[in-house]
Each structure stands twice: as structure tokens, then as C-alpha cells.
Amino acid sequence: GPGLIHALVGFAETQLRGQAPVEARLLLEQVRQPHEQLEPALFPADFLPRVTHLQAQCCRGEGRFAESRALLEGLLQGKAVRTRLVHLDLGLAEGGFRWLSEVEVPRQQAEVEGMSQRLRSGHRHFELALADKRSPAALYVLGVLHLLEGEPAEAAGRLEHACNRAAQDEESYRPA
């Protein structure tokens, strides 16, 4: 029933946080079919968009960026409940990042331009994720980009704001 389906989705989220996208994807595949056979009123309106968003994160975690982008863009066409997180995921997929944790200042100077280019690829979506100035993850990503592009004052402001928001924000970016 619905209780089991919700538990499976929660476990899939845990698998994603542990960077186990294949396991999470398999769980989510098991959720969709029974959900479609049960009474829709038993689930919140955001249930299917949430599952689709998680599936997009699984695809990104597996390096299937085009598939991830397609799922996320579909969410933006519908009634995605967490639009800023969808935009954040689109930015990560555009930059070829499997996980948010891959966004960092490179240790080698030779890698700075490559990281900067990857972040610029998703820049539009990172800015859209910041539309309400609340996304700690988008602030972090843009702070790293400013740092790599030689804008330390702008970087410091974004990174400090990211830390402050993360401490206050229940909907901080959790999976992957």
C-alpha cells in the first residue's frame, strides 16, 4: 500500500545521499508501477514529481546527463513543487557533475579552467535556483565559480550567505 511506497521512496533518497544511484533507481522503478494502480487520493499532489526528480538525480549520478536533463525539463513544464532544486539539478547536469560534492576548488591550477567552464555551463540554472535568494547549494556553486574566476569578494559573499542559509533552510539540497 501507500505506506510501503512512501518508505521505498525514503529509502531511495537515503541511497542517493550515499551516492548509490543504481540502487536508488531500482527502488524508484518498483514504486511507479504500484503507485499507478492505487487510488491517486492516497498520495500527495507532489508525489509523482518528487519521484521523477529523484529519478533524474539517479540518472545524473549514473552519468546519464541527457536523460537527467530531459526528466528535469519535463518537471519544469508541469507543476514542479521544488523548482529551485530542479534548476540546481539542471545546472549540475549541464556541467556534467554527478554529485554536488564534485563542485570544489581544484587542487591543481591546470584544472581551474575546466572546472570553471563546467560551472559556467550550468550558470543560467544556478541563477534561476537563486530566484528567491534561498538556495544554499546554488549560492555555494556560484561562490566557487566566482572564486575560480578571480572575484574573491563576490565569492566570499556568496559562500558566507550559503553557510548562513544552509543552517536555516529545511529544504537544503540533500540528495547527491
Side-chain angles (χ1 to χ4, degrees):
L4 176 60
I5 290 174
H6 286 290
L8 288 173
V9 171
F11 190 58
E13 287 177 318
T14 301
Q15 293 298 306
L16 271 172
R17 278 193 290 278
Q19 296 187 351
V22 173
E23 292 82 354
R25 178 177 45 83
L26 292 173
L27 286 166
L28 293 170
E29 287 171 0
Q30 298 303 310
V31 165
R32 265 207 188 268
Q33 186 177 11
H35 168 268
E36 292 167 358
Q37 296 171 357
L38 293 172
E39 179 64 38
L42 297 173
F43 298 91
D46 70 339
F47 183 77
L48 278 181
R50 178 178 165 213
V51 169
T52 301
H53 192 171
L54 291 169
Q55 288 175 313
Q57 290 175 330
C58 291
C59 291
R60 198 185 75 236
E62 292 180 63
R64 297 180 1 235
F65 300 111
E67 191 174 342
S68 177
R69 285 192 307 268
L71 288 169
L72 293 166
E73 288 166 359
L75 283 173
L76 291 176
Q77 301 306 313
K79 294 185 175 161
V81 175
R82 300 182 299 176
T83 303
R84 67 185 169 121
L85 296 180
V86 172
H87 277 296
L88 180 64
D89 280 323
L90 271 166
L92 292 170
E94 292 284 332
F97 295 100
R98 292 177 52 193
W99 311 107
L100 178 61
S101 61
E102 293 176 3
V103 176
E104 62 183 5
V105 176
R107 292 182 177 91
Q108 304 293 323
Q109 183 62 33
E111 298 170 359
V112 168
E113 181 55 36
M115 177 63 75
S116 184
Q117 180 58 42
R118 290 174 70 193
L119 291 172
R120 280 193 300 268
S121 295
H123 186 264
R124 181 176 74 85
H125 287 291
F126 298 136
E127 289 291 347
L128 288 169
L130 261 187
D132 60 5
K133 305 287 187 232
R134 291 186 44 203
S135 172
L139 285 163
Y140 166 74
V141 169
L142 291 169
V144 170
L145 178 59
H146 287 295
L147 191 60
L148 296 177
E149 296 194 337
E151 301 166 346
E154 182 69 23
R158 297 270 180 144
L159 293 170
E160 181 179 354
H161 196 72
C163 290
N164 292 337
R165 286 300 317 161
Q168 301 167 4
D169 192 349
E170 289 178 17
E171 197 180 74
S172 251
Y173 190 84
R174 287 185 184 27

